[in-house]
């Protein structure tokens, strides 16, 4: 009697193979996601280093860092933010020349400039946000904000640093400030310059980098990724996504906290040009001590 030759797999064998492949994919997927996030975080770190170089170039030219936002002495004119000031140092000279200095950031003359998206100012880990840029709206949104200190701030307090009465600790990027290296007596390696923030959508002013103070200045009342609400001109409250907020109109007071989608913390640029990843577990004493530029705090920056 001849023997029959069996070809192919039985159903049981096929199911076993599929199960093994599924297990392998389940094991590999987290590793792939971690590798992708590591690459995105490195890209974000490099962005902040570019911002740091631009800040230093500005300082080398003018002997001071840019103010957090420039306003007329009576606050009737709202000129450019710190981002506008450093554009030439980020190889964005053409965009800087497109920006009209003699009028408010929100007027129609600056709409062409507000529409330009600068990739270096966007963190790859964050969600994509449409560029909503009507005549009087916010335009391009990015992921970086400058250190204003601790407390709340308002663009109506713009005459001098002494007018920032809502800040219990004054940071280096006050409205109309003229802070130089000489003023950072706590040390450039112990003082935060720029940190990460998150964008939401076109109806939220957070991250509007060409706009005024409520959109691109960072306060240190709370540690990284807090549950406490941001306070800004216009926002969409999304506590379930780690983006709680309260709208407070154009006059303030305003307060943004450091936030990112990097697991466990945020990237921060220091005044020495280095970038540090600060975990959510950092002590509030250290976090707030590094927000101060001249408080003589003793901080443990090893995190």
């Amino acid at each position: 009697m001849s023997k029959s030759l069996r070809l192919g797999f039985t159903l049981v064998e096929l199911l076993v193979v599929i199960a093994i492949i599924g297990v392998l994919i389940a094991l590999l997927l987290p590793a792939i996601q971690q590798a992708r996030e590591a690459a995105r975080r490195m890209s974000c770190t490099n962005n902040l280093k570019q911002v740091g170089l631009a800040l230093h170039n500005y300082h080398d030219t003018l002997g001071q860092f840019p103010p957090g936002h420039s306003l007329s002495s009576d606050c009737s004119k709202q000129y450019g933010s710190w981002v506008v000031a450093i554009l030439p140092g980020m190889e964005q000279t053409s965009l800087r020349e497109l920006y009209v200095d003699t009028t408010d950031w929100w007027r129609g003359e600056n709409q062409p400039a507000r529409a330009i998206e600068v990739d270096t100012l966007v963190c790859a880990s964050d969600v994509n946000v449409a560029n909503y840029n009507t005549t009087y709206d916010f335009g391009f949104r990015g992921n970086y904000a400058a250190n204003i200190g601790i407390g709340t701030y308002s663009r109506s307090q713009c005459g001098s640093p002494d007018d920032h009465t809502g800040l219990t600790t004054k940071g280096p990027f006050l409205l109309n400030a003229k802070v130089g290296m000489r003023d950072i007596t706590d040390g450039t390696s112990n003082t935060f310059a720029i940190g990460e923030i998150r964008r939401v959508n076109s109806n939220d002013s957070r991250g509007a980098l060409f706009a005024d103070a409520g959109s691109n200045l960072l306060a240190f009342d709370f540690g990284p990724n807090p549950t406490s609400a941001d306070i800004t001109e216009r926002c969409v409250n999304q506590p379930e996504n780690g983006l709680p907020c309260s709208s407070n109109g154009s006059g303030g007071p305003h307060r943004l906290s450091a936030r990112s989608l990097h697991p466990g913390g945020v990237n921060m640029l220091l005044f020495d040009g280095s970038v540090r990843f600060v975990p959510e577990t950092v002590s509030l004493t250290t976090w707030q001590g590094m927000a101060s530029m001249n408080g003589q705090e003793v901080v443990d920056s090893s995190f």
Side-chain angles (χ1 to χ4, degrees):
M1 178 170 42
S2 62
K3 296 182 178 179
S4 61
L5 181 63
R6 187 185 66 155
L7 299 176
F9 298 100
T10 66
L11 179 59
V12 173
E13 290 170 334
L14 185 60
L15 291 175
V16 169
V17 171
I18 293 173
I20 292 172
I21 293 173
V23 170
L24 290 175
I25 292 174
L27 292 173
L28 288 174
L29 190 58
I32 294 172
Q33 290 174 335
Q34 288 177 4
R36 287 178 176 173
E37 170 52 29
R40 289 191 291 261
R41 189 173 124 187
M42 181 60 68
S43 173
C44 185
T45 297
N46 290 336
N47 287 349
L48 282 170
K49 288 181 178 179
Q50 291 298 314
V51 172
L53 286 172
L55 285 172
H56 278 249
N57 288 337
Y58 185 97
H59 189 280
D60 289 345
T61 302
L62 298 178
Q64 64 186 46
F65 293 105
H69 199 82
S70 298
L71 299 99
S72 60
S73 59
D74 62 354
C75 300
S76 62
K77 291 288 185 181
Q78 304 154 23
Y79 304 125
S81 70
W82 63 274
V83 176
V84 174
I86 66 170
L87 285 173
M90 301 182 68
E91 300 183 348
Q92 295 289 336
T93 301
S94 297
L95 175 55
R96 179 66 185 88
E97 292 174 349
L98 185 63
Y99 194 90
V100 181
D101 289 325
T102 55
T103 190
D104 304 284
W105 66 266
W106 47 267
R107 292 192 182 275
E109 296 92 322
N110 278 318
Q111 187 173 357
R114 294 197 311 269
I116 304 300
E117 299 189 11
V118 183
D119 290 342
T120 310
L121 297 174
V122 175
C123 179
S125 293
D126 200 22
V127 297
N128 292 325
V129 173
N131 187 339
Y132 186 70
N133 184 32
T134 62
T135 304
Y136 299 107
D137 218 284
F138 293 96
F140 164 65
R141 288 157 172 79
N143 288 110
Y144 306 115
N147 175 5
I148 192 74
I150 301 170
T152 59
Y153 51 93
S154 168
R155 72 177 182 216
S156 64
Q157 300 167 341
C158 68
S160 74
D162 292 336
D163 291 332
H164 291 78
T165 55
L167 295 170
T168 57
T169 295
K170 295 179 174 63
F173 290 96
L174 304 175
L175 310 187
N176 286 349
K178 298 179 179 180
V179 171
M181 286 288 190
R182 63 190 176 277
D183 301 304
I184 306 176
T185 57
D186 285 350
T188 56
S189 61
N190 294 316
T191 307
F192 291 136
I194 309 293
E196 288 188 89
I197 56 174
R198 287 180 57 192
R199 307 172 298 171
V200 183
N201 59 38
S202 59
N203 292 318
D204 194 301
S205 61
R206 284 177 281 188
L209 296 188
F210 298 154
D212 54 30
S215 304
N216 50 55
L217 295 179
L218 181 63
F220 291 80
D221 299 54
F222 313 105
N225 296 320
T227 57
S228 301
D230 293 331
I231 307 172
T232 188
E233 179 171 345
R234 189 178 73 199
C235 67
V236 179
N237 185 30
Q238 294 185 355
E240 69 280 5
N241 293 326
L243 287 163
C245 74
S246 175
S247 300
N248 205 20
S250 61
H254 298 140
R255 182 184 63 221
L256 297 183
S257 294
R259 304 180 191 274
S260 84
L261 284 175
H262 307 306
V266 296
N267 283 321
M268 300 294 298
L269 170 71
L270 282 72
F271 272 100
D272 65 358
S274 65
V275 178
R276 303 281 299 277
F277 184 75
V278 184
E280 295 170 0
T281 55
V282 65
S283 75
L284 189 60
T285 299
T286 295
W287 178 251
Q288 293 185 342
M290 296 185 72
S292 163
M293 62 181 176
N294 54 14
Q296 305 303 312
E297 299 91 348
V298 178
V299 297
D300 178 10
S301 58
S302 62
F303 306 132

